[in-house]
């Protein structure tokens, strides 16, 4: 593998390889894995929800329902693509793309494993922008446009209500999310995501447990805001079936609906990935500074792969918690949702920020 | 509950964790799903499924037709002298049931005076769906007697 | 269907110069528990008014009653409140017995009480399932239906059907309890209170549930009495009226139980009333199974039941949703002359606009759930 790549590098010339071919290969690999992960996340959700509800999930299409996502995609692809009569066509077509695109783009900066400094080989991420955190926040905000456009362009009362509600919810939960993201920034001193992971390794503890209790508060606020950002239970009023008949994506069918659906799950995975990177140590092992547990380093695997394994495990725990919440809690009413965001999460995140700042000054 | 305890309860979200705990332990419990059609649930002994007519027991009293709440049983009979026994007996011409409207209430079975009953609903058949529209909507006498009774239930036991 | 808007305020300009929006919660909607149509006038998210429009499930049941003799009408009564068929049957056969003057033997009375209480548990479990899932909690639905399977199995063992029971006749019971039924029932009763505790653990103290239901859908007790609301709706508003205590029928005078009454008049209190009623039902069942007498199950009655000429009677029982009553007029023939049903859901539905004025649209779903309507009963 390594010889193939270096041979290709010599053939194409180092500049072309480093800046065009290698990123393209990495993007293709990451996209393939992420899209597969999103599809199988739908199956995992249905199975786990089933298990929580004392029933088995899908198990007809393939053993344990493994072929279910493929069957779903096939069904959605052959469905009739209908656009409402007086819908605004360009907005109707553009809306799903605006929801999915930015969510996928964020994966460009997420560090799945260590950089070449640690592995001595390739970087285990696509790129490391030194304002990575700002990039993440910016991309997350663009999906709000997709939802507003989707709801408005459908030319239906229910969709409009759902779209507006969802937009208001997402905007108002971005404030506490942003504040809570400042806390790891303060603790690490850098905005680059890889740098944040490295500083967690250097400091020897995950930021969720740093400067207790402020790191934990920030983690908690980030998690709750993340659930609200991806429109999941208990904050899923905009798409609640029993209230508004699926809200802003009522009028979508076929592959466009599939894109919205995919966008929601992609959002879930992105929120989890960023949360893992910033608060739970990214690709590092638990208790990085405890020598006794160094077997957790998984020394039998190459360093990059070990990092990826830990990253995936933490991601899975996050995603399981999302699904667990969906299976347990009732839904907040819209005004209570906004109350929670503005009156409770923002002060909590502010306390976390101020506390971390003070602690940093006092204790370095 | 003192107010500090209640305050801590609210802050530490204990009520939410209790709910999460309840759902979590169900992941490891036995699931109640019955994998139909490989496994089926067995109907009870008195289950009112599709019915069956046993013409040899029927005395053609038409009580079942009279008692049906929606009048879906159609009976025609005539009297004839049986050449072998030289006695008058009733013969059944038509015994049709309109299955579009039957609600399987069991009143016809209750009305039947023979013992064992001539019309009885406990064939334990409830899968009456068919692929064509004209099947299984209007059952005539011949079909009623050969209704798909599961072989182990061809005779109903009398309840004491 | 013509719209009935006689006394409604017309869409008007509100203070900010914005028009009110009229939203049609159509007959087909996942949350309206049947084919209920609501026209909701909204000012932003606030509900200004709401008119229920019913009749989408009308089947002419009251006319059907007049066409057949008394005992043949029992299957028709199953299909009104299809979730709680046994209490419908009970009300009807009780009315017929009162009209004709038949005394039911004690064993039949106890069996009827047992069936009615089992039915109350089953109906409340279904109510909890749909109410919770409308508010967003999906899991109580599956847990309650698992328990409901046990109750429906008990019914199936007894009378052969799970939903449309046809389990009572004027004069007594058509069949006796099968062998082993009382043991099975006792087993169910033993294991059921922990399940109730489970549902409560998921919902009662949950802050999200409380936020969605406390203070929502407030029903003033005077308004409730004016409209003729009965059942848990009334007891959640502080009025202690339960037909099982006030006008005891069947075996209720021989068992001990409490009637839960709560005083805050909101959705949370009605939820508490119904949960507590399930526990009290278990208590009644335990006592009934212990005290079950032997004896005949069908009274001595004439072969053809004829109503007395000019006889008329009203008989009500406490169903899970409220007081279900039958007003039967006889004219000397085996068929009833007129059989009028007093459906609890119909009367409870009337107060929906009173409860919902001023609340938000999302509360409408919670309030429809707490009213516990079954459209089969509303429309007959």
């Amino acid at each position: 593998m390594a010889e193939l790549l270096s041979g290709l590098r010599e053939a194409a010339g180092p500049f072309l390889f480093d800046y065009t071919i290698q990123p393209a290969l990495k993007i293709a690999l990451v996209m393939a894995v992420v899209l597969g992960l999103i599809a199988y996340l739908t199956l995992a959700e249905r199975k786990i929800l089933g298990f929580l509800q004392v029933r088995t999930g899908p198990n007809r299409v393939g053993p344990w329902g493994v072929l279910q996502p493929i069957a779903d995609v096939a069904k959605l692809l052959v469905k009739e693509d209908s656009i409402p009569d007086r819908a605004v066509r360009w907005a109707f077509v553009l809306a799903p793309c605006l929801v999915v695109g930015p969510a996928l783009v964020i994966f460009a900066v997420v560090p799945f494993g260590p950089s070449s400094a640690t592995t001595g080989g390739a970087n285990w991420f696509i790129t490391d922008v030194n304002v990575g955190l700002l990039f993440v926040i910016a991309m997350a905000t663009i999906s709000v446009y997709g939802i507003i456009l989707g709801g408005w362009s459908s030319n239906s009362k229910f969709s409009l209500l759902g779209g507006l509600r969802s937009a208001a919810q997402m905007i108002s939960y971005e404030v506490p999310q942003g504040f809570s993201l400042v806390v790891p920034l303060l603790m690490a001193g850098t905005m680059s995501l890889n740098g944040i992971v490295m500083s967690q390794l250097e400091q020897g503890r995950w930021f969720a447990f740093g400067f207790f209790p402020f790191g934990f508060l920030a983690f908690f606020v980030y998690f709750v805001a993340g659930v609200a950002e991806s429109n999941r239970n208990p904050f899923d009023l905009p798409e609640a079936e029993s209230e508004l008949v699926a809200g802003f994506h009522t009028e979508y069918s076929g592959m466009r609906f599939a894109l919205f659906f995919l966008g929601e799950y992609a959002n879930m995975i992105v929120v989890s990935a960023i949360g893992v990177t910033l608060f739970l140590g990214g690709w590092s092992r638990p208790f990085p500074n405890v020598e006794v547990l160094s077997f957790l380093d998984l020394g039998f695997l190459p360093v990059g792969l070990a990092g990826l394994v830990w990253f995936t495990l933490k991601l899975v725990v996050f995603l399981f918690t999302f699904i667990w919440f969906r299976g347990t809690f009732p839904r907040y009413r819209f005004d209570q949702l906004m109350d929670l965001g503005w009156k409770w999460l923002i002060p909590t995140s502010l306390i976390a920020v101020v506390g971390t700042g003070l602690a940093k000054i006092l204790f370095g | 509950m003192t107010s500090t305890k209640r305050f801590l309860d609210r802050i530490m979200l204990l009520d939410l964790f209790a709910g999460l705990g309840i759902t979590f332990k169900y992941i490891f419990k036995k699931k109640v799903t019955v994998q139909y059609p490989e496994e089926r649930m067995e109907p009870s002994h008195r289950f009112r499924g599709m019915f069956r007519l046993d013409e040899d027991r029927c005395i053609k009293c038409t009580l079942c037709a009279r008692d049906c709440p929606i009048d879906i049983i159609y009976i025609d009979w005539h009297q004839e002298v049986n050449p072998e026994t030289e006695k008058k007996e009733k013969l059944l011409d038509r015994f049709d049931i309109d299955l579009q409207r039957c609600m399987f209430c069991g009143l016809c079975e209750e009305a039947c005076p023979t013992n064992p009953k001539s019309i009885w609903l406990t064939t334990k058949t409830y899968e009456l769906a068919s692929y064509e529209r004209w099947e299984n909507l209007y059952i005539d006498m011949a079909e009623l007697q050969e209704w798909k009774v599961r072989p182990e239930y061809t005779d109903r036991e009398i309840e004491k | 269907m013509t719209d009935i808007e006689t006394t409604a305020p017309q869409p008007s300009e509100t203070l900010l110069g914005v028009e009110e929006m009229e939203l049609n919660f159509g007959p087909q909607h996942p949350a309206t528990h049947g084919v209920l149509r609501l026209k909701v006038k909204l000012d932003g998210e606030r509900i200004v008014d709401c008119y229920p429009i019913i009749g989408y499930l009308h089947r002419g049941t009251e006319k059907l009653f007049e066409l057949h003799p008394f005992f043949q009408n029992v299957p028709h009564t199953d299909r009104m409140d299809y979730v709680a068929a046994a209490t419908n049957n009970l009300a009807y056969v009780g009315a017929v017995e009162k009209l004709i003057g038949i005394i039911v033997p004690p064993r039949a009375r106890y069996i009827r009480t047992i069936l009615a209480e089992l039915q109350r548990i089953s109906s409340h479990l279904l109510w909890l399932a749909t109410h919770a899932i409308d508010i967003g909690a999906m899991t109580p639905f599956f847990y309650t239906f698992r328990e409901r399977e046990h109750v429906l199995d008990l019914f199936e063992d007894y009378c052969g059907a799970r939903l449309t029971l046809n389990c009572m006749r004027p004069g007594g019971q058509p069949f006796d309890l099968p062998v082993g039924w009382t043991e099975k029932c006792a087993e169910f009763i033993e294991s059921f209170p922990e399940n109730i505790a489970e549902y409560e653990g998921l919902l009662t103290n949950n802050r999200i549930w409380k936020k969605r239901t406390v203070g929502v859908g407030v029903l003033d007790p005077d308004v409730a009495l004016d409209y003729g609301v009965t059942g848990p709706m009334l007891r959640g508003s502080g009025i202690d009226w339960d037909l099982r205590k006030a006008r005891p029928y069947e075996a209720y005078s021989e068992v001990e139980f409490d009637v839960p009454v709560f005083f805050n008049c909101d959705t949370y209190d009605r939820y508490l009333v119904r949960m507590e009623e399930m526990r009290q039902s278990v208590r009644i069942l335990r006592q009934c199974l212990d005290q079950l007498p032997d004896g005949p199950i069908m009274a001595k009655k004439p072969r053809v039941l004829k109503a007395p000429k000019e006889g008329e009677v009203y008989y009500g029982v406490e169903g899970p949703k409220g007081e279900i009553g039958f007003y039967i007029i006889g004219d000397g023939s085996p068929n009833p002359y007129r059989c009028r049903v007093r459906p609890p859901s119909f009367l409870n539905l009337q107060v929906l606009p009173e409860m919902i004025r001023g609340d938000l649209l999302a509360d409408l779903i919670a309030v429809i759930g707490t009213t516990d309507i079954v459209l089969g009963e509303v429309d007959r």
Side-chain angles (χ1 to χ4, degrees):
Chain A
M1 187 66 192
E3 297 87 36
L4 182 67
L5 286 176
S6 49
L8 197 55
R9 187 164 193 255
E10 277 180 30
F15 180 76
L16 191 62
F17 184 80
D18 279 341
Y19 289 99
T20 316
I21 300 186
Q22 198 197 47
L25 286 174
K26 275 194 195 165
I27 291 175
L29 182 63
V30 169
M31 278 298 109
V33 170
V34 164
L35 288 176
L37 186 63
I38 296 177
Y40 276 87
L41 184 61
T42 57
L43 174 68
E45 165 160 30
R46 289 168 69 173
K47 289 291 279 190
I48 294 179
L49 269 183
F51 275 63
L52 290 175
Q53 290 160 356
V54 86
R55 60 183 173 100
T56 53
N59 65 347
R60 286 272 158 203
V61 198
W64 294 295
V66 189
L67 299 177
Q68 182 78 40
I70 304 179
D72 282 340
V73 167
K75 178 203 85 164
L76 286 168
L77 276 175
V78 299
K79 260 193 168 177
E80 176 192 355
D81 176 24
S82 62
I83 301 189
D85 188 30
R86 270 181 269 163
V88 182
R89 277 192 96 93
W90 65 267
F92 196 82
V93 170
L94 186 60
C97 314
L98 278 183
V99 170
V100 181
L104 293 178
V105 162
I106 297 183
F107 279 104
V109 289
V110 168
F112 302 106
S115 64
S116 54
T118 323
T119 59
N123 289 333
W124 281 76
F125 45 78
I126 299 183
T127 178
D128 185 28
V129 186
N130 53 0
V131 284
L133 201 53
L134 196 58
F135 176 73
V136 165
I137 300 179
M139 284 295 121
T141 320
I142 297 185
S143 11
V144 182
Y145 280 114
I147 294 182
I148 298 184
L149 279 182
W152 168 75
S153 67
S154 304
N155 195 30
S156 142
K157 273 185 214 171
F158 283 125
S159 307
L160 184 65
L161 271 179
L164 289 178
R165 278 188 187 178
S166 183
Q169 175 186 332
M170 287 179 87
I171 293 179
S172 56
Y173 276 84
E174 271 176 17
V175 182
Q177 192 180 37
F179 277 132
S180 68
L181 290 178
V182 169
V183 170
L185 173 62
L186 280 177
M187 291 195 207
T190 166
M191 262 193 172
S192 113
L193 289 178
N194 196 42
I196 292 181
V197 177
M198 296 303 290
S199 92
Q200 287 183 73
L201 259 183
E202 281 155 25
Q203 292 184 21
R205 59 161 188 240
W206 291 350
F207 285 156
F209 306 110
F211 295 138
F212 201 81
F214 299 112
F216 196 72
L217 270 183
F219 175 51
F220 175 72
V221 169
Y222 175 78
F223 189 73
V224 174
V227 174
E229 281 286 310
S230 26
N231 284 342
R232 299 278 301 176
N233 228 9
F235 304 108
D236 67 345
L237 199 67
E239 52 181 48
E241 252 179 35
S242 56
E243 318 225 5
L244 280 183
V245 201
F248 61 88
H249 51 76
T250 314
E251 302 290 335
Y252 284 84
S253 69
M255 208 55 206
R256 296 185 208 282
F257 173 73
L259 275 180
F260 265 124
F261 205 56
L262 245 57
E264 175 183 326
Y265 285 96
N267 228 339
M268 245 169 85
I269 299 185
V270 157
V271 162
S272 312
I274 299 296
V276 163
T277 312
L278 292 174
F279 291 100
L280 292 187
W283 46 262
S284 63
R285 66 175 166 97
F287 304 108
N289 56 338
V290 175
E291 281 303 316
V292 172
L293 296 172
S294 58
F295 67 90
L296 286 172
D297 257 335
L298 301 177
F300 49 90
L301 293 168
V303 183
L305 201 57
L308 182 66
V309 165
W310 278 114
F311 181 82
T312 316
L313 278 176
K314 295 175 203 174
L315 193 69
V316 163
V317 168
F318 244 89
L319 291 173
F320 174 76
T321 314
F322 270 86
I323 300 175
W324 196 9
F325 275 25
R326 182 172 181 199
T328 313
F329 295 135
R331 201 177 282 139
Y332 269 111
R333 200 174 63 199
F334 190 61
D335 59 324
Q336 294 161 354
L337 213 156
M338 303 293 268
D339 260 3
L340 193 73
W342 290 94
K343 289 196 204 164
W344 290 95
L345 286 186
I346 293 188
T348 316
S349 56
L350 276 177
I351 292 175
V353 168
V354 169
T356 313
L358 282 177
K360 187 111 179 155
I361 295 178
L362 293 176
F363 303 113
Chain B
M1 228 206 260
T2 63
S3 50
T4 39
K5 186 166 190 299
R6 212 173 334 162
F7 177 69
L8 278 178
D9 221 354
R10 279 196 60 91
I11 295 291
M12 304 287 288
L13 307 177
L14 284 177
D15 47 315
L16 297 180
F17 283 113
L20 285 174
I22 292 178
T23 43
F24 190 69
K25 62 179 180 19
Y26 272 102
I27 299 185
F28 307 107
K29 286 196 181 172
K30 191 168 178 310
K31 311 287 173 286
V32 296
T33 317
V34 171
Q35 301 289 357
Y36 187 85
E38 289 92 21
E39 311 168 3
R40 277 165 220 251
M41 297 188 62
E42 199 55 51
S44 76
H45 184 76
R46 294 186 186 173
F47 181 72
R48 303 201 295 253
M50 182 57 195
F51 39 82
R52 182 188 144 99
L53 170 73
D54 277 320
E55 198 197 348
D56 40 349
R57 304 184 202 153
C58 178
I59 60 171
K60 294 97 184 157
C61 59
T62 70
L63 277 177
C64 51
R66 199 192 62 179
D67 273 2
C68 178
I70 27 187
D71 300 324
I72 50 162
I73 305 184
Y74 305 103
I75 300 186
D76 280 338
W77 55 272
H78 66 272
Q79 278 201 329
E80 226 178 55
V81 179
N82 187 350
E84 288 169 22
T85 60
E86 306 265 322
K87 278 207 268 202
K88 275 209 245 175
E89 62 179 28
K90 297 180 181 175
L91 285 179
L92 206 53
D93 290 330
R94 178 171 94 121
F95 192 110
D96 295 341
I97 304 229
D98 182 2
L99 209 60
Q100 290 173 83
R101 300 209 169 83
C102 177
M103 47 178 174
F104 300 102
C105 61
L107 285 176
C108 51
E109 183 185 16
E110 269 180 51
C112 185
T114 61
N115 195 358
K117 308 233 179 209
S118 320
I119 182 165
W120 44 285
L121 271 83
T122 49
T123 57
K124 303 210 184 184
T125 305
Y126 51 88
E127 292 143 329
L128 297 173
S130 59
Y131 281 103
E132 307 288 355
R133 230 175 167 190
W134 50 86
E135 287 176 18
N136 285 354
L137 278 188
Y138 198 84
I139 311 287
D140 66 11
M141 184 166 72
E143 283 174 33
L144 259 188
Q145 298 198 74
E146 280 122 34
W147 190 257
K148 311 181 259 299
V149 178
R150 287 159 65 188
E152 57 268 28
Y153 301 118
T154 42
D155 206 350
R156 181 173 172 246
E157 290 140 25
I158 310 303
E159 282 273 307
K160 302 264 178 317
Chain C
M1 294 273 325
T2 55
D3 298 340
I4 305 159
E5 284 198 16
T6 45
T7 54
Q10 298 305 309
S12 61
E13 308 257 322
T14 58
L15 200 56
L16 286 175
V18 178
E19 266 187 19
E20 291 169 353
M21 180 168 96
E22 187 163 295
L23 194 64
N24 192 26
F25 250 62
Q28 297 153 323
H29 190 96
T32 53
H33 295 183
V35 280
L36 172 68
R37 178 174 167 207
L38 289 174
K39 286 180 73 152
V40 179
K41 279 205 181 344
L42 292 174
D43 170 21
E45 281 257 341
R46 297 238 159 237
I47 297 181
V48 172
D49 210 345
C50 120
Y51 327 108
I53 300 174
I54 59 174
Y56 289 90
L57 194 50
H58 181 68
R59 295 157 289 177
T61 313
E62 293 181 359
K63 177 69 182 175
L64 283 175
F65 280 136
E66 298 170 15
L67 301 178
H68 284 288
F70 285 106
F71 75 97
Q72 284 182 25
N73 285 329
V74 183
H76 288 307
T77 60
D78 284 334
R79 285 152 172 82
M80 289 189 317
D81 177 2
Y82 37 78
V83 168
T87 35
N88 295 10
N89 285 351
L90 184 58
Y92 177 71
V93 301
V96 173
E97 284 155 10
K98 194 169 162 187
L99 180 67
I100 300 183
I102 307 176
I103 311 286
V104 179
R107 185 172 169 92
R109 281 192 292 125
Y110 269 85
I111 296 181
R112 283 183 182 178
T113 313
I114 294 177
L115 290 173
E117 288 306 310
L118 277 176
Q119 192 67 80
R120 189 180 314 269
I121 293 179
S122 150
S123 171
H124 283 329
L125 284 175
L126 188 101
W127 160 81
L128 182 63
T130 47
H131 194 209
I133 206 170
D134 281 342
I135 296 194
M138 330 162 104
T139 28
F141 183 89
F142 294 94
Y143 300 160
T144 53
F145 266 63
R146 179 191 48 180
E147 264 67 68
R148 204 161 170 259
E149 275 300 304
H150 295 306
V151 176
L152 293 181
D153 276 344
L154 282 171
F155 275 116
E156 189 186 341
D157 282 338
Y158 175 66
C159 59
R162 289 152 63 97
L163 195 71
T164 52
L165 302 173
N166 195 17
C167 60
M168 299 179 191
R169 302 277 180 276
Q173 296 294 101
F175 4 79
D176 206 341
L177 300 175
V179 175
W181 197 88
T182 39
E183 283 81 28
K184 226 172 149 185
C185 193
E187 226 179 270
F188 168 71
I189 296 175
E190 290 316 308
S191 68
F192 189 56
E194 358 175 292
N195 296 93
I196 307 185
E198 204 173 69
Y199 315 141
E200 298 221 309
L202 267 181
L203 294 175
T204 305
N205 287 324
N206 192 322
R207 62 186 60 202
I208 308 180
W209 181 261
K210 276 184 158 164
K211 270 200 157 160
R212 283 303 294 267
T213 52
V214 171
V216 164
V218 175
L219 178 63
D220 203 32
D222 297 320
V223 171
L225 282 176
D226 279 343
Y227 275 94
V229 169
T230 51
M233 301 266 300
L234 194 63
R235 294 196 278 278
S237 293
I239 300 180
D240 184 4
W241 176 256
D242 186 333
L243 274 182
R244 299 176 287 171
K245 287 274 195 202
R247 310 249 159 86
Y249 52 94
E250 304 304 329
Y252 284 107
S253 43
E254 293 153 35
V255 294
E256 266 183 35
F257 62 102
D258 298 317
V259 171
V261 179
F262 287 85
F263 295 92
N264 282 339
C265 317
D266 57 15
T267 305
Y268 188 65
D269 275 5
R270 280 173 233 134
Y271 160 80
L272 289 175
V273 164
R274 289 187 176 105
M275 299 299 275
E276 188 56 35
E277 272 187 10
M278 283 202 270
R279 289 207 183 88
Q280 295 299 322
S281 286
V282 170
R283 199 170 151 194
I284 298 177
L285 278 172
R286 211 174 272 140
Q287 293 175 55
C288 278
L289 284 178
D290 287 337
Q291 299 172 13
L292 192 62
D294 292 317
I297 48 171
M298 182 64 91
K300 291 271 180 295
K301 57 178 170 71
R303 256 194 100 201
V304 178
L305 286 175
K306 282 209 178 118
K309 219 159 165 63
E310 325 277 346
E312 60 185 44
V313 71
Y314 173 79
Y315 184 77
V317 305
E318 181 78 21
K321 303 185 167 48
E323 172 181 339
I324 177 161
F326 276 80
Y327 175 66
I328 305 186
I329 304 180
D331 63 350
S333 73
N335 298 6
Y337 175 71
R338 169 84 169 106
C339 187
R340 158 90 174 118
V341 182
R342 184 226 186 261
S345 305
F346 183 73
L347 289 147
N348 290 356
L349 190 58
Q350 289 178 97
V351 289
L352 187 70
E354 301 290 329
M355 289 199 283
I356 201 66
R357 244 174 234 137
D359 277 339
L360 300 178
L361 185 60
D363 294 328
L364 180 64
I365 313 294
V367 171
I368 295 179
T370 186
T371 322
D372 197 10
I373 52 175
V374 170
L375 264 297
E377 200 168 49
V378 172
D379 289 338
R380 282 159 278 132

